[in-house]
Amino acid sequence: FHPASVKVSPDRAQHFSSESVSLSCEGNSTKWKVMRFTEAGHLSNCSEWGTMTGSTCNIHKHANKTAVFWC
Protein backbone atom coordinates (compact mmCIF):
# COMPACT_ATOMS: atom_id res chain seq x y z
CA PHE A 1 0.00 0.00 0.00
CA HIS A 2 1.41 3.38 -1.03
CA PRO A 3 -0.55 6.34 0.40
CA ALA A 4 -0.76 9.59 -1.56
CA SER A 5 -1.99 13.11 -0.98
CA VAL A 6 -3.09 15.90 -3.31
CA LYS A 7 -1.02 19.08 -3.50
CA VAL A 8 -2.79 22.15 -4.94
CA SER A 9 -0.89 24.92 -6.70
CA PRO A 10 -1.28 27.79 -6.09
CA ASP A 11 -1.72 26.82 -2.44
CA ARG A 12 -4.80 28.68 -1.25
CA ALA A 13 -8.37 27.95 -0.14
CA GLN A 14 -10.28 29.46 -3.08
CA HIS A 15 -9.69 29.32 -6.83
CA PHE A 16 -11.52 31.03 -9.69
CA SER A 17 -12.54 29.70 -13.11
CA SER A 18 -10.39 32.33 -14.86
CA GLU A 19 -7.24 30.85 -13.29
CA SER A 20 -5.20 27.76 -13.99
CA VAL A 21 -4.75 25.25 -11.18
CA SER A 22 -2.36 22.33 -10.88
CA LEU A 23 -3.03 19.26 -8.76
CA SER A 24 -0.18 16.90 -7.94
CA CYS A 25 -0.30 13.45 -6.40
CA GLU A 26 2.42 13.23 -3.78
CA GLY A 27 3.50 9.90 -2.41
CA ASN A 28 5.98 7.14 -3.05
CA SER A 29 4.66 6.12 -6.46
CA THR A 30 4.83 7.87 -9.84
CA LYS A 31 1.78 5.90 -11.00
CA TRP A 32 -0.77 8.00 -9.07
CA LYS A 33 -3.30 9.87 -11.25
CA VAL A 34 -5.60 12.76 -10.35
CA MET A 35 -9.32 11.91 -10.40
CA ARG A 36 -12.44 14.03 -9.94
CA PHE A 37 -16.06 13.48 -8.89
CA THR A 38 -18.42 16.34 -9.83
CA GLU A 39 -21.63 17.54 -8.20
CA ALA A 40 -23.49 15.95 -11.13
CA GLY A 41 -22.09 12.56 -10.16
CA HIS A 42 -19.57 12.23 -12.99
CA LEU A 43 -16.34 10.36 -12.26
CA SER A 44 -13.37 11.08 -14.55
CA ASN A 45 -9.61 11.26 -14.73
CA CYS A 46 -7.48 14.29 -15.57
CA SER A 47 -7.20 13.52 -19.29
CA GLU A 48 -10.89 14.48 -19.73
CA TRP A 49 -10.55 17.99 -18.27
CA GLY A 50 -6.84 18.76 -18.03
CA THR A 51 -3.37 17.70 -19.03
CA MET A 52 -1.61 15.00 -17.02
CA THR A 53 2.19 15.22 -16.86
CA GLY A 54 3.65 12.54 -14.63
CA SER A 55 1.59 12.78 -11.44
CA THR A 56 0.59 16.43 -11.98
CA CYS A 57 -2.70 17.53 -13.55
CA ASN A 58 -2.90 21.01 -15.06
CA ILE A 59 -6.58 21.91 -15.11
CA HIS A 60 -7.82 23.79 -18.17
CA LYS A 61 -9.38 27.12 -17.22
CA HIS A 62 -12.76 26.26 -18.76
CA ALA A 63 -12.86 22.94 -16.90
CA ASN A 64 -12.84 24.43 -13.40
CA LYS A 65 -15.95 23.42 -11.51
CA THR A 66 -16.98 22.32 -8.06
CA ALA A 67 -15.77 18.79 -7.52
CA VAL A 68 -13.94 16.43 -5.20
CA PHE A 69 -10.39 15.66 -6.34
CA TRP A 70 -8.19 12.80 -5.17
CA CYS A 71 -5.32 10.54 -6.18
Side-chain angles (χ1 to χ4, degrees), residues 2-65:
H2 301 284
S5 59
V6 178
K7 179 181 177 183
V8 181
S9 181
D11 182 15
R12 59 179 188 246
Q14 188 173 24
H15 299 271
F16 300 94
S17 59
S18 60
E19 303 169 330
S20 295
V21 178
S22 292
L23 303 176
S24 300
C25 294
E26 295 192 329
N28 52 1
S29 175
T30 58
K31 296 182 181 182
W32 287 107
K33 301 295 181 198
V34 178
M35 301 290 292
R36 135 178 126 173
F37 188 75
T38 66
E39 289 179 311
H42 182 68
L43 175 65
S44 60
N45 63 40
C46 175
S47 63
E48 293 185 35
W49 37 269
T51 304
M52 196 80 192
T53 305
S55 293
T56 299
C57 179
N58 297 301
I59 300 175
H60 302 312
K61 292 178 185 178
H62 68 273
N64 289 347
K65 60 174 65 175

